[in-house]
Amino acid sequence: MMARQHILKAVAIAASLAAIVAFGVTANNYILQAGTTLAMSIVLALAWNLVGGYMGYPSFATAALFGLGAYAGGIAQTAGAPIALAWLVAAAAGTVFAGLLGSVLLRLRGHYFAIGTIAIVEVMREISNNWEALTGGAVGLNVPIVTGSARDVGLLFYFIMWGLAAAALLITSIVAASKFGFSLQCIRQNEPAASMVGIDVFKTKCAAFMLSGAIASTAGAIYASMVAFIEPKDAFNVLLSIEVPVMVMLGGAGTVLGPVAGATVYVVLKELVWVNFINFHSAILGIIIIAVVYVLPGGVLRLIDALWRKRPAAPQPRHAK
Amino acid sequence: MIAQYVVNGILIGSLYACLAVGFSLIYGVLNIINVMHGSFVVLGAYTTIYGSQVLGLHPLLAALLGAAVMFVFGYLIQRLLINEVVTAPIFISFTLTFGLDLLINNAMIQAFTATPRSLVLDYGSVSIGGVSISVARLGAMGLALVLTGFLYWLLRHSQMGRAIIAVRMDHQAASFLGIRVNRIYALTFGIGALMAAAAGGAMAVVYPITPLLSGVFLGKAFVICVLGGLGSVPGALVGGIALGLLESFGAVVFGSQWSTTVGFALMILVLMVRPSGLVGRKGYE
């Protein structure tokens, strides 16, 4: 039984890898870009899932962490750092920033935590808008462009972003199976009880927030190098902070593969909407969000699981109230 | 000069109080963050502008009419859509109202375009001790304060208001006492929308309004709620005037481009130090 599961898993991984490579090699530039966006969405969804899914804290800080990474990487690159070093700088900056932010905001619960994280996005945008000497202000920041044909550069970033997605997935599956992951789920279910059985709740929460911040910031830095131009309203976009949790909900929060499935469904839907209804795209995104809330609060994976095994869907993860 | 800043701060702060009190009430009674609140403010501003400029109504009448329309709108939205998720985790209700807001905001941009519009009213200005105030702004402030005061009276002394307070304290106990909780939820949401729309009507006199401002108004409602304490009318009044004064003086000290950061920084500070707000009571957090 175990052996069969391992073989199935290996086959699934090999098939996914083959599909990603085949898609990258055969796609035209536009479709390739969509493939890179999908990988980035998966990374951000997995990063959010650690805090919002496993730990059950309704974080809307995704855009703050992503934007911080974009600016940290972009600024490091304009200062002359090689691209890989700039990404490392961004990952470190994201970790430290998330640690500081977490040590303040993670003392709050429920609504207050949600509001605090949204406020951070707004504050970060205003700082990047006004601190012209460092960020270039509202005009934006030109990041040194990667030389080469558009096709080659596009393919390079496609594979790098998928590499990061694979790393994020690996981290999530390790966390899910670890004592740390179990502690996070205890915190989600009942924080005082978790503390009572000897979990250092505050440290655990900060660690999860830092891990999430490191992943999201790295994605931001890679994005900045890819588009070679960042501006405050793009890097610190509140919409991103909402879209990412919706993706996770769409797939199933607090699971390893849920964010991957949710991000895939969401990005495909969004691409279709974007192409066909350019004037009404935010309204249609709104409708998608509303539909997800009403129809699929447990996520696509749970629905498939329920239909497949012909048994009632597993109870949904409870969020901090 | 200082007197002028104080007066401006209190003036705009009164509008903020009216803006936030509905948000605070919904947050306190339904335990929902209503992301649509900023759009309700903008809708109120537009109904006032259109009512007075196109239909030729008196601006005050147009504002009250707009507020009444928004009451019905809010009541129906809660009854038909939000009531389904009222017991769900906060993340779900937050996301739902965000989705609805995207829809409303997109519709507003299609209908009104993003061009700023304002309600220019020239009733002259009065000057007391070197401080000059335009009469139209004074009227806007009066409307905001009267409605906020009326809501306070309603919650304290009317049967409906006592029912709302009862539901806020314990909705199960209220339901045992024969209060129709779902109806109270819808009424509360309607009142919240009404107050937002009235604040919007008053705001149109002071600022040019565009649908893009809805996020800004929502942010102010957050800050004021946290500053003053959740779910209380005096809290919203104190929080609103505190924010008005803070912005008035903050613009001088830090420059007006930092106004969001100053407001939010103060909010996070208050959250850390005194989560029940400046005048809030413990247990209403």
Side-chain angles (χ1 to χ4, degrees), chain B residues 221-238:
Chain B
F222 277 166
V223 175
I224 295 161
C225 259
V226 171
L227 287 187
L230 182 59
S232 90
V233 178
L237 197 61
V238 170

Side-chain angles (χ1 to χ4, degrees), chain B residues 150-168:
Chain B
F150 181 65
L151 181 62
Y152 184 70
W153 176 86
L154 199 76
L155 290 177
R156 287 252 142 187
H157 300 291
S158 75
Q159 197 179 8
M160 184 182 88
R162 296 322 290 168
I164 290 175
I165 299 290
V167 171
R168 181 178 72 190

Side-chain angles (χ1 to χ4, degrees), chain A residues 104 111 126 130 249 283 294, chain B residues 31 81 91 106 258 260-261 272:
Chain A
V104 176
H111 285 129
E126 202 161 272
N130 290 328
M249 260 169 71
Y294 281 128
Chain B
N31 199 26
L81 295 170
F91 176 70
N106 200 168
W258 290 103
T260 308
T261 301
M272 307 309 342

Side-chain angles (χ1 to χ4, degrees), chain A residues 48 58-60 103-105 107-108 110-116 118-120 122-124 126-127 130-131 238-239 242 245-246 249 279-287 289-290 293-294 297 316-321, chain B residues 23 27 31-33 80-82 84-96 98-100 102-103 105-107 110 222 225-226 229-230 256-262 264-265 267-268 271-272 275-276 284-285:
Chain A
W48 184 86
S59 165
F60 294 99
S103 65
V104 176
L105 292 182
R107 295 170 196 278
L108 307 171
H111 285 129
Y112 288 118
F113 178 77
I115 290 181
I118 279 207
I120 290 298
E122 298 290 324
V123 168
M124 293 294 284
E126 202 161 272
I127 291 174
N130 290 328
W131 196 351
V238 177
L239 198 57
I242 304 280
V246 167
M249 260 169 71
N279 275 338
F280 296 97
H281 76 267
S282 72
I284 291 170
L285 288 185
I287 292 172
I289 291 173
I290 295 163
V293 169
Y294 281 128
Q316 294 161 25
R318 282 179 45 222
H319 294 269
K321 184 95 177 158
Chain B
F23 181 82
Y27 191 136
N31 199 26
I32 276 180
I33 297 179
L80 300 175
L81 295 170
I82 294 172
E84 303 286 318
V85 297
V86 88
T87 53
I90 58 142
F91 176 70
I92 301 276
S93 52
F94 187 98
T95 310
L96 175 68
F98 187 89
L100 288 169
L102 280 180
L103 204 61
N105 212 265
N106 200 168
Q110 288 297 318
F222 277 166
C225 259
V226 171
L230 182 59
S256 60
Q257 74 272 27
W258 290 103
S259 70
T260 308
T261 301
V262 171
F264 278 137
M267 178 183 92
I268 290 172
L271 274 180
M272 307 309 342
S276 54
Y284 281 100
E285 302 162 9

